[in-house]
Amino acid sequence: MADDVFKALADPTRRAILDELRERDGQTLFELCGRLAMRHGSSASRQAISQHLAVLEAAGLVRTRREGRYKFHDFDPAPLEHLLDRWLGDDGDDGSAVAPDGRD
Amino acid sequence: MADDVFKALADPTRRAILDELRERDGQTLFELCGRLAMRHGSSASRQAISQHLAVLEAAGLVRTRREGRYKFHDFDPAPLEHLLDRWLGDDGDDGSAVAPDGRD
DNA sequence: GGTACATGCAAGTTATTACTTGCCTACCAT
DNA sequence: ATGGTAGGCAAGTAATAACTTGCATGTACC
């Protein structure tokens, strides 16, 4: 689960997509293509971005809604919320807490 | 810079190494091999782990100090501290804050 | 119905990453 | 010195990920 999120964040193009969606939610694939090219200097093709969006959606970072022939993409920050807590919580080598969630 | 950190976090073995070092700082390569095998079910070889450590060190997540024939590894959480802020700060499409640091 | 636009799918290619193999250097003890 | 332990380097292989190409589907609008 968290593995998908880390993998999704590993690519600079995907991080740019998140930046772009965070700033303006509900963009279509074509809109994203244009804005990424202009504002982030991305040279990725439509298909490449489409595949990146699929990865982001699989990680739960992007939600989509279909309307007619358009598909709108929304950024969902929830999976990021406690992603790094396992390393940032005040340091502990005690034996009490091993985290309630399965990690990898 | 941040790119190296995201890339470093993308691998489950490397995340397990961070978990292990966070719990017990200053482990040697051999120590890590043993503990990863036992406690994380890792089957990675010494060389594989050595290379993972190099990636983590390049990302600034692990610092090393040499003492005689031993090399101790310490976890440094600093690069993680504000890694996700760009997406988690209260939502904004205003024009004021674009973050002072170069991202990707 | 026909055409144009928005997106989807799948096979193939290239690039990157993880891992292995084999040998090498440094340190310490006997 | 010799042997054993901790670690390093580099070239090669295997696995995975990113991207391309070409065609298919679905929807709106005339």
Side-chain angles (χ1 to χ4, degrees):
Chain A
M1 201 85 239
D3 184 63
D4 295 321
V5 181
F6 283 115
K7 289 251 169 68
L9 292 176
D11 188 277
T13 302
R14 284 195 289 267
R15 293 195 297 273
I17 291 175
L18 292 186
D19 290 338
E20 191 50 54
L21 283 181
R22 177 179 184 273
E23 190 169 322
R24 176 200 267 219
D25 239 355
Q27 296 191 57
T28 70
L29 175 56
F30 271 58
E31 234 174 314
L32 274 168
C33 285
R35 291 175 68 101
L36 283 172
M38 285 188 296
R39 308 165 35 107
H40 300 262
S42 164
S43 61
S45 68
R46 177 182 69 83
Q47 292 87 342
I49 293 185
S50 174
Q51 285 167 9
H52 282 308
L53 283 169
V55 173
L56 289 168
E57 194 175 357
L61 289 164
V62 166
R63 297 220 156 271
T64 62
R65 55 201 150 89
R66 189 109 204 196
E67 255 169 64
R69 59 175 160 173
Y70 299 104
K71 190 180 180 186
F72 300 104
H73 299 83
D74 300 302
F75 172 46
D76 183 358
L80 300 177
E81 227 111 78
H82 301 289
L83 233 209
L84 305 181
D85 288 5
R86 80 203 256 192
W87 299 301
L88 290 180
D90 38 336
D91 61 315
D93 50 323
D94 68 318
S96 66
V98 202
D101 53 347
R103 249 135 193 186
D104 300 308
Chain B
M1 199 88 238
D3 185 60
D4 295 321
V5 181
F6 282 115
K7 288 251 169 67
L9 292 176
D11 188 276
T13 302
R14 284 196 289 265
R15 292 195 297 272
I17 290 175
L18 292 186
D19 290 338
E20 191 51 52
L21 283 181
R22 178 180 185 273
E23 190 169 324
R24 177 199 266 220
D25 238 355
Q27 296 191 56
T28 70
L29 174 56
F30 272 59
E31 233 174 312
L32 274 167
C33 285
R35 291 175 67 102
L36 283 172
M38 284 189 298
R39 309 168 28 110
H40 299 263
S42 164
S43 61
S45 69
R46 176 182 68 85
Q47 291 85 344
I49 293 184
S50 174
Q51 286 167 9
H52 281 308
L53 283 170
V55 173
L56 289 168
E57 194 175 357
L61 289 163
V62 165
R63 297 219 156 273
T64 63
R65 53 199 153 92
R66 188 112 204 194
E67 257 170 65
R69 61 176 158 172
Y70 299 105
K71 190 179 181 186
F72 301 105
H73 299 83
D74 300 302
F75 172 46
D76 183 358
L80 300 178
E81 226 110 78
H82 301 291
L83 234 209
L84 305 181
D85 289 5
R86 79 202 256 192
W87 299 300
L88 290 180
D90 36 336
D91 60 315
D93 49 321
D94 70 317
S96 66
V98 201
D101 54 347
R103 252 133 190 189
D104 299 307

